[in-house]
Amino acid sequence: MGKQKKTRKYATMKRMLSLRDERLKEKDRLKPKKKEKKDPSALKEREVPQHPSCLFFQYNTQLGPPYHILVDTNFINFSIKAKLDLVQSMMDCLYAKCIPCITDCVMAEIEKLGQKYRVALRIAKDPRFERLPCAHKGTYADDCLVQRVTQHKCYIVATVDRDLKRRIRKIPGVPIMYISNHRYNIERMPDDYGAPRF
């Protein structure tokens, strides 16, 4: 019988002593953790998110013309597909002046899409669009839009993404703009928003 070949094991580490092992000297050994006893008479502190002052129940008092509309990546692409002019169609939907806003994340997403979506990039670089800088890490636009809308409730979110719509519906007082039947529609917009204020 020949010698059996030993297969080399990859990613194996040398066995190490546990820091609580008795073979270690007393000074090098890890001390056992002591559980802190909670005082039953102490007051329990709970952190409750502060209710936004801009909301009167579900009515958002910060929304009013000119409307600032946060645009998502897929909204621009679907608008091109439906042959809709973004600013004009927004004005036709809301009957007021609209300022489309594009965050750095959305811009980065469009740039990543490559040469195929160069028309969307050209539309996004339109001077009528307001650019919003992002301070966070990464370029995931959905999280960025949700975070921005949670902090500042003065925006309408324009998106076709189902997951993003579902997330925004949970935030009170934020309307959603979407595309249906080759035109823009608005969701959760009270009738009084278009009325003139005296």
Side-chain angles (χ1 to χ4, degrees), residues 75 82 84 160 165 177-186:
F75 190 81
L84 293 167
V160 191
K165 274 198 215 171
M177 188 178 274
Y178 60 96
I179 303 169
S180 69
N181 300 331
H182 292 278
R183 49 173 278 159
Y184 292 168
N185 286 315
I186 201 99

Side-chain angles (χ1 to χ4, degrees), residues 91-191:
M91 286 182 179
D92 292 344
C93 176
L94 292 168
Y95 302 116
K97 190 185 177 192
C98 299
I99 302 163
C101 304
I102 284 200
T103 61
D104 288 346
C105 295
V106 173
M107 207 65 169
E109 266 189 10
I110 296 169
E111 284 168 2
K112 273 184 198 170
L113 290 172
Q115 195 66 16
K116 195 179 173 186
Y117 295 91
R118 62 183 179 275
V119 180
L121 186 63
R122 195 181 295 165
I123 288 171
K125 285 182 176 174
D126 193 313
R128 294 177 294 176
F129 282 45
E130 193 179 305
R131 280 293 295 273
L132 301 172
C134 296
H136 60 81
K137 287 181 181 177
T139 58
Y140 187 53
D142 288 15
D143 287 346
C144 173
L145 293 176
V146 169
Q147 187 184 1
R148 195 175 283 273
V149 157
T150 311
Q151 288 170 350
H152 315 286
K153 291 192 173 15
C154 59
Y155 296 110
I156 296 170
V157 180
T159 184
V160 191
D161 188 358
R162 278 184 189 169
D163 294 331
L164 182 58
K165 274 198 215 171
R166 201 173 290 132
R167 284 172 72 180
I168 289 166
R169 279 187 198 115
K170 290 174 186 171
I171 306 163
V174 180
I176 301 165
M177 188 178 274
Y178 60 96
I179 303 169
S180 69
N181 300 331
H182 292 278
R183 49 173 278 159
Y184 292 168
N185 286 315
I186 201 99
E187 187 182 300
R188 284 198 326 186
M189 189 84 157
D191 300 328

